[in-house]
Amino acid sequence: MNVDLVQMLRRNALCTGRARLTRRSFLACLLLLASSLYGTATAAAIDGADRAPRPAGTGARITAVRELDDRTLDLTVRSRAMEGSVPVRVILPKSWTSEGRRTYPVLYMLHGGDDDYTSWTRETDVEELAEDSDVVIVMPDGGKHGYYSDWYVGAPLWETFHTVELVRLMERTFRTNSSRAVVGLSMGGFGALNYASRHPRMFRYAASMSSYVDLNEPEVRDFIRLGSTVDGIDIKDVWGDPEQDDDNWQAHNPAARPGAFRGTRVHLSSGNGTPGPLDAAHETRVIAAGMLAERMLPASLRKFAESLREAGVTVSTDFYKPGTHSWPYWDRELHRIWPTVMKVLR
């Protein structure tokens, strides 16, 4: 249904009687009206039961909502593409409940490998950064090693979930509009670039922090193969055989598709692999891992940035020294790019 959620809340007898929805009444009504929006019974929102057919047009529905604070919600989203439920964290603007007819720009934030949807709020102060920003922030789970792709073997379908189901769900439920940005780090940085290239002009801005960008580089293939093997994943399941299914690898290779970024402003950043003051609190083994993961990135990112410029894409870069593959640097980078992200989304 293309009906604004707030309008529906106001029409519902149990959700009227106040000129302004409180956050508690919003949550109660969101669960109550899940059935009319997504074909999910209220009981399903409470106990997680899947009792209704999947809705046409969205492929996803909210089955549970948990309030973390005044503006931050954890959603459980039942996904057709994923054939299961995926957690998503959302930060709403202050004006969201009071301006019920307004639509909002949206920032998608993608986490790295071996992490989850809680990482951005756990490791950064993104909630404070967003305090006065009229932007909806969406932080979906992407799997420990999901590679932000629809897997070659048929499941999971992370790309379909993130770029189709979730986008539509955010538009219909949280009134997001077509002004979108995507920011990611490490595996999530690859995801941001992969999605931006495979869905031209879907995002106004795409930022990649400390991410590999060229799947053709032997070091990158070795890194991905080793990381996936350790976790019991065959990388062939993700994109197919590197030789026999090369066309699919290139279709998911940002470096092979510079022209696809036209219309999207791109930001690339990484450290040089040398530890610095921001690593002071880390254990030696953590620093060593961060050094190895970051050292191979700057040269590849510089080459990619140049190919983007040659293709007519607006690119900004931040190749900082020192810097390892770790959160203190990504938190700092988030602060550095935040004003630009907000400006682009206006």
Side-chain angles (χ1 to χ4, degrees):
M1 297 176 63
N2 293 318
V3 180
D4 190 292
L5 176 61
V6 171
Q7 292 176 328
M8 293 190 68
L9 295 179
R10 288 171 178 167
R11 288 176 184 152
N12 190 284
L14 293 178
C15 298
T16 56
R18 297 185 182 182
R20 179 175 176 175
L21 285 172
T22 65
R23 54 192 172 93
R24 188 172 299 278
S25 64
F26 158 67
L27 288 170
C29 293
L30 181 60
L31 290 176
L32 181 64
L33 293 175
S35 59
S36 59
L37 278 170
Y38 308 110
T40 304
T42 303
I46 297 174
D47 64 20
D50 185 7
R51 302 180 180 180
R54 296 184 173 108
T58 64
R61 62 185 182 275
I62 297 169
T63 58
V65 182
R66 185 164 67 96
E67 179 185 25
L68 301 183
D69 59 38
D70 288 353
R71 297 184 299 119
T72 308
L73 308 173
D74 271 1
L75 313 177
T76 300
V77 177
R78 180 71 183 180
S79 162
R80 178 186 301 170
M82 296 299 295
E83 299 183 348
S85 294
V86 182
V88 179
R89 182 161 291 179
V90 175
I91 302 176
L92 296 174
K94 288 180 180 178
S95 61
W96 195 89
T97 54
S98 62
E99 299 186 26
R101 295 184 180 274
R102 181 179 177 184
T103 65
Y104 292 87
V106 56
L107 169 61
Y108 291 89
M109 304 186 72
L110 309 181
H111 65 78
D114 201 29
D115 214 327
D116 60 31
Y117 72 106
T118 68
S119 64
W120 284 103
T121 53
R122 185 187 70 233
E123 301 289 351
T124 76
D125 60 347
V126 64
E127 294 127 314
E128 294 180 20
L129 273 176
E131 183 73 18
D132 297 315
S133 300
D134 281 337
V135 172
V136 174
I137 298 173
V138 182
M139 296 163 282
D141 204 78
K144 296 293 184 181
H145 298 282
Y147 295 102
Y148 294 98
S149 300
D150 286 356
W151 283 27
Y152 188 77
V153 292
L157 303 180
W158 288 109
E159 180 180 354
T160 297
F161 172 65
H162 289 141
T163 64
V164 179
E165 293 183 337
L166 188 60
V167 167
R168 292 177 182 174
L169 188 63
M170 292 299 105
E171 289 173 345
R172 297 183 182 199
T173 312
F174 294 102
R175 305 194 312 272
T176 61
N177 56 40
S178 61
S179 180
R180 308 181 191 94
V182 59
V183 172
L185 61 89
S186 195
M187 183 185 75
F190 167 80
L193 297 174
N194 187 41
Y195 289 169
S197 68
R198 289 175 58 78
H199 302 270
R201 299 183 183 275
M202 181 176 187
F203 301 99
R204 293 187 179 184
Y205 183 97
S208 174
M209 304 177 189
S210 299
S211 170
Y212 47 85
V213 295
D214 190 351
L215 297 182
N216 291 331
E217 293 183 350
E219 297 86 351
V220 172
R221 293 199 175 190
D222 289 342
F223 177 80
I224 292 174
R225 188 180 298 109
L226 176 62
S228 61
T229 300
V230 169
D231 290 281
I233 296 171
D234 187 344
I235 199 62
K236 294 180 182 179
D237 289 346
V238 182
W239 297 307
D241 184 272
E243 295 183 4
Q244 296 179 11
D245 303 300
D246 180 67
D247 56 340
N248 195 52
W249 278 71
Q250 301 315 311
H252 292 84
N253 186 5
R257 304 165 56 83
F261 289 90
R262 295 190 188 101
T264 298
R265 181 166 178 169
V266 176
H267 179 77
L268 307 172
S269 65
S270 77
N272 65 347
T274 302
L278 294 182
D279 294 285
H282 293 155
E283 298 178 4
T284 301
R285 61 179 180 83
V286 174
I287 295 175
M291 291 169 61
L292 292 173
E294 201 79 356
R295 279 181 176 174
M296 68 176 182
L297 299 178
S300 180
L301 289 169
R302 285 190 174 94
K303 181 180 178 181
F304 180 49
E306 185 58 31
S307 70
L308 289 173
R309 293 188 181 103
E310 291 176 355
V313 179
T314 300
V315 186
S316 58
T317 60
D318 185 11
F319 301 122
Y320 44 85
K321 302 177 183 180
T324 62
H325 202 76
S326 58
W327 273 106
Y329 297 97
W330 300 326
D331 180 38
R332 186 182 66 184
E333 191 68 16
L334 181 63
H335 279 257
R336 288 177 174 177
I337 68 174
W338 190 263
T340 301
V341 177
M342 295 301 106
K343 183 178 179 179
V344 172
L345 283 175
R346 287 177 189 167

